[in-house]
Amino acid sequence: MKSAQIPGPNEPLTISESENPRPQGTQVLLKVKSEGVCHSDLHLWEGGYDLGDGQFLKVTDRGVKYPVTPGHEIVGTIEKIGENVSNVSVGDDVLVFPWMGCGECPACKVGNENLCDTPKSMGLFQNGGYADYTLIPDSKYLAKLDGVDPDAATSLACSGLTAYTAVKKANQNSPEFVVIIGAGGLGLMGVQIAREITDAKIICVDLDDKKLETAKEMGAHFTVNSKDSDTVKKILSICNDKGADSVIDFVNAPPTVKTGLAVLRKRGNLILVGLFGGSLEISLVSIPLKSITIQGAYTGNYNDMVELLDLARKGVINPVISKRYSLEDANAALEDLKARKIIGRAVINP
Ligand code: NAD
Ligand code: ZN
């Protein structure tokens, strides 16, 4: 098998060749058809996350070991199965649930492996889908595509799933207005999902007019380019000067969080999703006086991924796939994402 691996932080990916693994027990060998290129792969490539004030959270301090094969949005065809696999068969096209946990901790016990204390996520803590074949540790992490387009389905394992979790959290506030910051891979899924599962008017914010145009096509009622100095004023005037009930920040950097807090209505909730990072000073009294909630959202669970596949099968959500690369062009795929050239998602077709 061929894998595009990150040898170490900021080093170009190299193709490594090895024997195809033989699946045993509950394991499954997948022939990768399509692999989504997520901004989180860029953070892995850069070696970690910006904590602000000159601090950096290294992924190696979280348990990542280089060289690593990135890729957590994996769709493939089952090539071989271990002797204990019965829920899927050779030849099935499947989407992988990559947010694997230990199975023992309180989160895993209630089915939220994505929030496991000792995560084993694919494309991070174990090799992922930037490869022509990949070994899945347990067939219970697979869901059959049953008619969903393979390239589109990749998005449902991360960008769609994370957006789904975030929009569900926003929806707990019965929002009249939802602000979605960032119209990238995650944000565009967020717009479509919010359109489907909330009654809210959706205001999408980004720096790039092209991405905002796509957000409108995907169902955003209003768009605001945050390059303008009066972003906050514009958003507030859309919300009848009362503010937004919910803000989902798919960027999560100091300027976007400042905007989010400034447009949040009394009783509002701010959901931080992006990992762009940095740090921010917050004036504390406004939190109790406005009774606001600031919360995080991290990916989603297996059942939500299956629900999303169903929504995609019904044509309710349509992930935007704008560019396709070969495995050999994995470096170009990441560079293009970094340079903000990708609308929605790019995929690698090994
Ligand atoms: P992307 O590169 O596809 O999209 C990012 C978007 O944000 C782009 O449209 C860009 O123009 C916009 N943007 C950047 N800076 C901005 C600013 N200051 N103001 C307004 N818009 C700005 O990225 P993506 O794949 O959608 O991922 C977004 C972030 O979410 C990444 O940091 C990624 O690692 C993170 N992520 C988090 C989770 C989670 O579970 N919490 C899961 C997946 C990805
Ligand atoms: Zn991702």
Side-chain angles (χ1 to χ4, degrees), residues 8-302:
N10 299 307
E11 292 175 32
L13 282 74
T14 52
I15 302 285
S16 78
E17 296 209 29
S18 56
E19 287 276 302
N20 271 1
R22 276 167 180 247
Q24 288 173 348
T26 58
Q27 295 174 336
V28 169
L29 182 69
L30 269 194
K31 186 171 180 10
V32 179
K33 264 192 161 166
S34 190
E35 163 58 56
V37 180
C38 177
H39 204 110
S40 295
D41 304 336
L42 278 180
H43 299 307
L44 177 64
W45 200 20
E46 289 160 357
Y49 311 92
D50 177 10
L51 294 176
D53 301 324
Q55 306 289 311
F56 192 73
L57 172 64
K58 287 185 187 169
V59 289
T60 47
D61 291 342
R62 293 185 68 214
V64 168
K65 290 193 179 73
Y66 295 100
V68 61
T69 307
H72 51 264
E73 299 192 351
I74 314 166
V75 163
T77 307
I78 296 181
E79 177 92 2
K80 276 188 184 145
I81 56 178
E83 62 283 6
N84 299 334
V85 173
S86 56
N87 59 327
V88 287
S89 315
V90 170
D92 285 348
D93 281 342
V94 291
L95 172 64
V96 180
F97 177 78
W99 312 111
M100 300 167 186
C102 66
E104 307 286 333
C105 73
C108 286
K109 277 193 178 144
V110 295
N112 293 329
E113 289 199 36
N114 56 308
L115 302 179
C116 175
D117 288 331
T118 48
K120 298 177 170 48
S121 321
M122 287 192 74
L124 203 62
F125 303 114
Q126 52 180 316
N127 287 330
Y130 282 41
D132 54 359
Y133 289 90
T134 187
L135 187 70
I136 310 301
D138 195 311
S139 63
K140 71 177 180 185
Y141 295 118
L142 302 175
K144 291 187 203 173
L145 293 195
D146 284 338
V148 180
D149 173 74
D151 288 342
T154 58
S155 294
L156 305 178
C158 176
S159 47
L161 185 58
T162 305
Y164 196 32
T165 301
V167 174
K168 278 186 175 179
K169 288 189 177 187
N171 220 7
Q172 283 169 0
N173 218 18
S174 309
E176 192 182 341
F177 290 97
V178 172
V179 174
I180 291 184
I181 304 179
L186 270 67
L188 289 180
M189 291 298 306
V191 168
Q192 293 185 49
I193 293 167
R195 206 44 212 254
E196 178 59 22
I197 70 168
T198 77
D199 296 322
K201 291 271 183 265
I202 301 158
I203 305 159
C204 192
V205 179
D206 201 287
L207 299 164
D208 184 330
D209 281 331
K210 260 200 204 151
K211 292 178 180 174
L212 290 173
E213 254 170 55
T214 314
K216 269 230 154 130
E217 288 161 22
M218 295 295 116
H221 299 89
F222 305 93
T223 57
V224 176
N225 190 321
S226 50
K227 269 190 190 154
D228 305 343
S229 53
D230 53 353
T231 305
V232 168
K233 223 169 121 190
K234 277 188 181 156
I235 297 172
L236 287 174
S237 81
I238 295 168
C239 307
N240 309 318
D241 288 321
K242 291 197 184 97
D245 310 86
S246 300
V247 175
I248 308 174
D249 190 343
F250 289 112
V251 178
N252 191 21
T256 60
V257 178
K258 265 189 206 158
T259 301
L261 285 168
V263 302
L264 203 60
R265 186 182 188 164
K266 215 170 181 180
R267 303 174 301 278
N269 60 351
L270 169 63
I271 300 133
L272 304 181
V273 182
L275 298 167
F276 277 64
S279 64
L280 194 65
E281 268 191 27
I282 301 176
S283 72
L284 298 175
V285 282
S286 60
I287 298 175
L289 289 182
K290 286 175 78 181
S291 191
I292 58 170
T293 305
I294 301 174
Q295 58 191 142
Y298 187 75
T299 64
N301 65 27
Y302 177 85

